[in-house]
Amino acid sequence: MRNALVGIVLASAIACGSPACAADIAAGKEKAELCVGCHGEGGISQMENTPSLAAQPDLFIQWQLVFFRAGTRKNDQMQPIVEQLNNEDIRNLGAYYASLPPPKTPKPDDNPDLSSKGAQAAVGRRCASCHTDSYAGTKGVARIAGQREEYLVKALREYKSGARAGGAMAAMADVAYPLSEEEIEALAHYLAHL
């Protein structure tokens, strides 16, 4: 019985490692047409308080879509869209967005003093321990470098207040809760200009 179970597990692992189970970036690009209205062409948002998805880690995108679909993470605009997605769509969207180049910083840093305070806050809160030294994210952890500044402020405020759930909620709540409003704005400014 035990050998049969091990055989089944190994067979599934091998089957899912085959090209038949691999994510399809072209299919992800096609499915992403649903996302362009808010998240922008090429995953670069032009809409206030809406994140850019370009170059987000594959697993991060997948997990967030699953959280939205399950209702763990709530958003009135996302709910009707994610209800239409199956697991293959989610894998394909994750692969597609991960394959895109990251957003370019839209303008030069107009407030280097605020960025300096943000860099200090990032070190003090150990942001790099999860988001990597370049803040490009990894696996299930978001890319925050080059993200829209007002979106980063919104996300940090939501983590601080407990309004945001799904994913690394506990870790982010611990980090965000003690942040002052000035630190939130400085962190967001610094990260958006990387």
Side-chain angles (χ1 to χ4, degrees), residues 150-160 164 172 176:
E150 81 286 342
Y151 176 75
L152 290 169
V153 168
K154 175 182 180 282
L156 286 168
R157 286 178 180 156
E158 288 175 350
Y159 280 122
K160 179 180 175 88
R164 188 165 184 177
M172 282 304 302

Side-chain angles (χ1 to χ4, degrees), residues 12-71:
S12 358
I14 292 168
C16 286
S18 73
C21 286
D24 183 341
I25 291 174
K29 181 178 183 179
E30 186 176 321
K31 188 57 80 170
E33 289 302 313
L34 296 168
C35 313
V36 169
C38 296
H39 294 285
E41 288 289 333
I44 300 176
S45 173
Q46 302 300 313
M47 186 177 286
E48 189 173 345
N49 289 319
T50 302
S52 291
L53 301 179
Q56 285 292 341
D58 183 357
L59 286 177
F60 174 75
I61 292 289
Q62 289 186 51
W63 288 2
Q64 296 310 304
L65 289 171
V66 168
F67 294 141
F68 280 123
R69 188 174 68 182

Side-chain angles (χ1 to χ4, degrees), residues 2-3 16 50 55 61 73 80 89 99 113 115 123 160 169 176:
R2 184 169 184 253
N3 288 339
C16 286
T50 302
I61 292 289
R73 189 166 171 202
D89 294 333
S99 75
D113 289 339
S115 279
V123 169
K160 179 180 175 88
M169 177 54 200

Side-chain angles (χ1 to χ4, degrees), residues 103-105 133-135 143-147 189-194:
K104 302 274 188 268
T105 304
D133 290 341
S134 64
Y135 302 104
R143 173 188 187 83
I144 51 178
Q147 185 56 268
H189 185 78
Y190 167 67
L191 294 167
H193 287 87
L194 290 179

